[in-house]
Amino acid sequence: MLKIDSHTHILPKKLPNWSEKFGYGDFIYLQHHKKGYAKMMRGNQFFREIKENAWNPDLRIKEYEKFHTQVQVVCTIPVMFSYWARPLDCLELSKYLNDHLADLLVKHPKHYLGLATIPMQDTELAIQELERCKQIGLQGVQIGSNVNDLNLNEERFFPIFEACEKLSMAVLVHPWNMMGEKNMQRYWLPWLVGMPAETSRAICSMIFGGVFERLPKLRVNFAHAGGSFLPTLGRIQHGFDCRPDLVAIDNNVSPRNYLKHFWVDSATHDPMMLEYVIKLIGSEKITLGTDYPFPLGDLEIGKFIEEMGLEKNVVENIFYRSALEWLNVPLERFS
Amino acid sequence: MLKIDSHTHILPKKLPNWSEKFGYGDFIYLQHHKKGYAKMMRGNQFFREIKENAWNPDLRIKEYEKFHTQVQVVCTIPVMFSYWARPLDCLELSKYLNDHLADLLVKHPKHYLGLATIPMQDTELAIQELERCKQIGLQGVQIGSNVNDLNLNEERFFPIFEACEKLSMAVLVHPWNMMGEKNMQRYWLPWLVGMPAETSRAICSMIFGGVFERLPKLRVNFAHAGGSFLPTLGRIQHGFDCRPDLVAIDNNVSPRNYLKHFWVDSATHDPMMLEYVIKLIGSEKITLGTDYPFPLGDLEIGKFIEEMGLEKNVVENIFYRSALEWLNVPLERFS
């Protein structure tokens, strides 16, 4: 069976020293300090150690073979977004990363699909780069759950979503810049508590801001099974119902109506929660997604799903049909 | 069948003007601007309008009769915590609220149980007031999901939890002071997104900080079905497993081991999510809880649970047995 991992991250092996080039800011750069490993540095601060599977496409393909998975949808690591930078500098950085992806897709068309990154802090430049990425063969774009603390309902982002719809570019919303981060550094809580909340914040903002209502053909996938949105939908729906004066101010359509309007990935790390998600939105809206190659990812690439005893059709939806639909890629590409 | 609502809020009809008395700060006061309604004011800022059922015990008992519910566990509204105030001022305010509850319990012993509020910003005063509240007949204490942005694993809070265990005072952890609040004012997101995250933050902090490990007899209930903690447990557990260097630094016992160590209330507003919670922690760890009398509450007092077709034993657990266990109150009190 074809398996498409809809949520994986990759970097070029080498990153320019943008801080030096642009003369400001803590842009990420890589220190290849020992064989097979590199340190992601943010300015002089250590951010994260990554392994060769973060940049070596052949090694990645091999690692995926162990889990009978043929295709990886790749995008950058959210810390690379650089939405805080000067727009033209972020555009340059984005182009560098996007060209790397485009090149990868040309070299390995059966193994990789790609999602761009764009300078969300500048609507015009973002659309310009989105159009270019369409030309160079990427399938969509990854954006953050917020942009410098602005939520995705903001009018300034709407033309970008509109362009995604028009160009048929898929969108992956990934949590980052986590709320509450500075007050819960201990125990990795920005990742364990902040990230699921970020994704719920993004989905709520897009629903209540009317983005899905105004752009019915926009195809959006939310990381980590939509974070805490789907399991707290009862509360969110009740909030909409009981205080429309606070919640339904920009869009009076009930949140439950949008459950078939977007995708989420399968990264629940828990069969019981995945069952809940399947029951709620249907397997045709769930894409296999792992967050590979990071430790918090589902690094057995959906093995827990294989072990759930789901119907074949449900597994097929999750493993490839939903992703093909979300990305608007024909099955034939992989046959 | 006995029904105990484990999560409801109440205020005295009159609040002193503490800002005037103490000479600083935006303490909450009430403006009874029309019959049956009052405005909660924070300084000169309107915070929330409440109705008579927020302060009138007889009216509340009548409203509960419609839903065949005999007992309400009452506590203050989290905005009253005043953890930001000078400790002695917060103590005075807490005493005022706690005396009001104690008086209510004496007058209506078959209808009310009560949870104190204590000045968490001062460990010694908090314990002093906790001991006094035990004496005046309260069953436990309600605390916030964080205390002035400090998490519940902080050593300064441990003696308070220790005193709760020693005194057999139950604890209700309620979300408040929501992470990300200032960046998501629109669409009521602090309540719809921030609150579930706050409760997850609190549970994670208590688990990873070793509070449950060190105090196995401490009885804690978490509001709103534990917020986003239970449905994102897969991610949290995986984080613990894959990065013990970040997560297991203060307690190396797996989070799943604590699923029988605490209670959550039933306020999911959704039968499917409640089923998930029942499957995960068992009905003996779920207490009927509504957040009455506020609009975001389950104001039909567990009607959706009655309609779920659950086994009688499961419903009995949720409707009263779990609450009696959590509060350490004998069934005979209500017969």
Side-chain angles (χ1 to χ4, degrees):
Chain A
M1 187 189 303
L2 180 62
K3 272 174 85 179
I4 302 175
D5 184 347
S6 68
H7 174 184
T8 84
H9 300 284
I10 198 167
L11 282 179
K13 183 170 180 182
K14 283 181 185 157
L15 293 177
N17 191 329
W18 284 302
S19 296
E20 209 165 82
K21 177 164 188 200
F22 300 143
Y24 71 97
D26 289 341
F27 292 89
I28 295 284
Y29 67 96
L30 293 179
Q31 279 181 351
H32 288 273
H33 60 300
K34 61 179 175 184
K35 198 175 152 44
Y37 290 84
K39 283 182 191 166
M40 295 179 73
M41 301 295 294
R42 181 149 59 174
N44 293 321
Q45 272 226 297
F46 172 74
F47 173 71
R48 184 187 289 175
E49 189 178 68
I50 55 177
K51 295 189 213 166
E52 190 165 347
N53 58 9
W55 67 80
N56 181 335
D58 297 305
L59 176 62
R60 292 170 66 107
I61 291 170
K62 245 182 243 165
E63 291 198 3
Y64 269 74
E65 271 170 8
K66 282 182 230 160
F67 301 99
H68 316 289
T69 306
Q70 188 184 333
V71 188
Q72 300 167 41
V73 181
V74 285
C75 55
T76 197
I77 304 173
V79 70
M80 301 300 299
F81 288 152
S82 310
Y83 297 152
W84 50 269
R86 288 196 295 243
L88 281 170
D89 300 336
C90 181
L91 177 67
E92 179 174 332
L93 173 154
S94 301
K95 280 180 169 176
Y96 184 89
L97 297 174
N98 296 335
D99 286 343
H100 166 255
L101 292 190
D103 183 56
L104 183 71
L105 268 54
V106 168
K107 287 186 181 141
H108 305 276
K110 301 266 186 205
H111 291 294
Y112 288 102
L113 296 167
L115 304 174
T117 186
I118 54 177
M120 291 292 288
Q121 66 271 54
D122 185 306
T123 304
E124 212 171 304
L125 292 183
I127 294 173
Q128 178 189 313
E129 179 59 5
L130 189 76
E131 286 168 345
R132 196 186 73 89
C133 288
K134 177 76 185 180
Q135 295 303 320
I136 62 176
L138 303 189
Q139 282 72 33
V141 61
Q142 174 193 216
I143 64 172
S145 51
N146 70 73
V147 177
N148 303 329
D149 287 327
L150 293 176
N151 293 324
L152 298 180
N153 59 289
E154 294 280 338
E155 269 308 310
R156 58 185 295 171
F157 304 130
F158 188 76
I160 304 175
F161 290 127
E162 203 171 29
C164 288
E165 188 189 61
K166 192 173 143 218
L167 295 164
S168 187
M169 289 285 267
V171 178
L172 172 66
V173 176
H174 199 292
W176 91 303
N177 188 28
M178 282 78 86
M179 60 177 80
E181 187 155 17
K182 78 173 177 12
N183 294 318
M184 48 183 196
Q185 286 293 311
R186 212 166 171 83
Y187 313 131
W188 215 14
L189 296 193
W191 271 255
L192 305 185
V193 173
M195 278 200 164
E198 275 300 322
T199 310
S200 183
R201 168 193 193 171
I203 301 178
C204 286
S205 298
M206 291 185 74
I207 287 178
F208 297 138
V211 178
F212 294 123
E213 189 59 27
R214 292 159 76 189
L215 300 172
K217 288 181 182 162
L218 180 68
R219 304 190 315 272
V220 186
N221 197 339
F222 294 94
H224 312 135
S228 56
F229 176 81
L230 293 175
T232 58
L233 179 61
R235 182 176 180 84
I236 291 163
Q237 178 70 47
H238 186 52
F240 176 88
D241 293 335
C242 75
R243 290 299 302 269
D245 58 314
L246 296 176
V247 184
I249 48 181
D250 293 330
N251 176 22
N252 62 10
V253 181
S254 166
R256 274 197 196 268
N257 278 37
Y258 297 99
L259 290 182
K260 298 289 173 189
H261 281 238
F262 57 83
W263 287 259
V264 303
D265 74 26
S266 61
T268 60
H269 307 278
D270 184 84
M272 217 165 97
M273 183 39 55
L274 189 60
E275 272 168 22
Y276 169 88
V277 176
I278 294 171
K279 248 170 66 181
L280 190 56
I281 64 170
S283 59
E284 63 279 12
K285 289 294 171 185
I286 304 169
T287 64
L288 172 64
T290 68
D291 225 341
Y292 173 95
F294 300 120
L296 199 46
D298 171 22
L299 299 186
E300 300 181 309
I301 322 296
K303 185 164 160 249
F304 82 97
I305 302 170
E306 283 160 356
E307 293 168 349
M308 280 172 68
L310 297 167
E311 278 176 39
K312 187 161 173 265
N313 187 50
V314 170
V315 178
E316 285 171 354
N317 282 341
I318 297 174
F319 278 0
Y320 70 91
R321 276 198 214 105
S322 303
L324 293 175
E325 191 85 14
W326 165 52
L327 296 165
N328 192 28
V329 169
L331 179 58
E332 293 67 42
R333 176 169 176 145
F334 305 106
S335 52
Chain B
M1 187 190 301
L2 180 62
K3 272 174 84 180
I4 302 174
D5 184 346
S6 68
H7 174 185
T8 84
H9 300 285
I10 198 167
L11 282 179
K13 183 170 180 182
K14 286 183 185 157
L15 293 178
N17 191 328
W18 283 303
S19 296
E20 208 165 84
K21 175 161 190 202
F22 300 142
Y24 71 97
D26 290 340
F27 292 89
I28 295 283
Y29 67 95
L30 292 179
Q31 278 181 349
H32 288 273
H33 60 300
K34 61 178 176 184
K35 197 176 154 43
Y37 290 83
K39 284 183 191 165
M40 293 179 74
M41 301 296 293
R42 182 151 57 176
N44 293 321
Q45 272 226 297
F46 172 73
F47 174 72
R48 183 187 289 174
E49 190 178 67
I50 55 175
K51 295 189 211 166
E52 190 164 347
N53 59 9
W55 68 79
N56 181 336
D58 298 305
L59 175 63
R60 292 171 65 109
I61 291 171
K62 245 182 242 166
E63 291 197 4
Y64 270 73
E65 271 170 10
K66 283 182 229 160
F67 300 99
H68 315 289
T69 306
Q70 188 184 335
V71 187
Q72 301 167 40
V73 182
V74 285
C75 56
T76 198
I77 304 172
V79 70
M80 300 300 300
F81 287 153
S82 311
Y83 296 152
W84 50 269
R86 287 197 296 244
L88 280 170
D89 299 337
C90 181
L91 177 67
E92 179 174 331
L93 173 155
S94 300
K95 280 181 168 176
Y96 183 89
L97 297 174
N98 296 334
D99 286 342
H100 166 256
L101 292 190
D103 182 56
L104 183 71
L105 268 54
V106 168
K107 286 186 182 141
H108 306 275
K110 300 266 186 205
H111 291 293
Y112 288 102
L113 296 166
L115 304 174
T117 186
I118 55 177
M120 291 292 288
Q121 66 272 54
D122 185 306
T123 304
E124 211 171 306
L125 292 183
I127 294 173
Q128 177 190 313
E129 179 59 4
L130 189 76
E131 286 169 345
R132 195 186 74 89
C133 288
K134 177 75 184 180
Q135 294 304 318
I136 61 176
L138 303 189
Q139 282 72 31
V141 62
Q142 174 193 216
I143 64 172
S145 50
N146 69 73
V147 177
N148 303 328
D149 288 325
L150 293 176
N151 293 323
L152 298 180
N153 59 288
E154 294 279 339
E155 268 308 310
R156 58 185 295 170
F157 304 130
F158 188 76
I160 304 175
F161 290 127
E162 203 170 31
C164 288
E165 187 188 60
K166 191 173 144 220
L167 296 165
S168 187
M169 288 286 266
V171 178
L172 172 66
V173 176
H174 199 292
W176 90 305
N177 188 27
M178 282 79 87
M179 60 178 80
E181 186 155 19
K182 79 174 174 15
N183 294 318
M184 47 181 198
Q185 286 294 311
R186 212 167 171 82
Y187 313 131
W188 215 14
L189 296 193
W191 271 256
L192 304 185
V193 173
M195 278 200 165
E198 275 299 321
T199 310
S200 183
R201 167 195 194 172
I203 301 178
C204 286
S205 298
M206 290 184 75
I207 288 177
F208 297 138
V211 178
F212 294 123
E213 189 58 28
R214 293 159 74 190
L215 300 171
K217 289 183 181 158
L218 180 68
R219 304 189 315 272
V220 186
N221 197 339
F222 293 94
H224 312 135
S228 56
F229 176 81
L230 293 174
T232 59
L233 179 61
R235 181 175 181 84
I236 292 163
Q237 178 70 46
H238 186 52
F240 175 89
D241 292 336
C242 75
R243 290 299 302 268
D245 58 315
L246 296 176
V247 184
I249 48 180
D250 293 331
N251 176 22
N252 62 9
V253 180
S254 165
R256 275 198 196 268
N257 278 36
Y258 296 99
L259 290 183
K260 298 289 174 188
H261 281 237
F262 57 81
W263 287 259
V264 303
D265 74 28
S266 61
T268 60
H269 306 279
D270 184 84
M272 218 165 95
M273 183 40 54
L274 189 60
E275 271 166 23
Y276 170 89
V277 176
I278 293 171
K279 247 167 71 179
L280 190 57
I281 64 169
S283 58
E284 63 279 12
K285 288 295 170 185
I286 305 170
T287 63
L288 172 65
T290 68
D291 225 341
Y292 173 95
F294 300 120
L296 199 45
D298 170 22
L299 299 187
E300 300 182 310
I301 321 295
K303 184 165 159 248
F304 82 98
I305 302 169
E306 283 160 357
E307 292 167 350
M308 281 173 67
L310 296 167
E311 279 177 39
K312 186 160 175 264
N313 186 50
V314 169
V315 178
E316 286 172 351
N317 282 341
I318 297 174
F319 279 1
Y320 69 93
R321 274 197 216 105
S322 303
L324 293 175
E325 191 85 14
W326 165 52
L327 297 165
N328 192 28
V329 168
L331 178 59
E332 294 66 44
R333 176 169 176 144
F334 305 106
S335 51

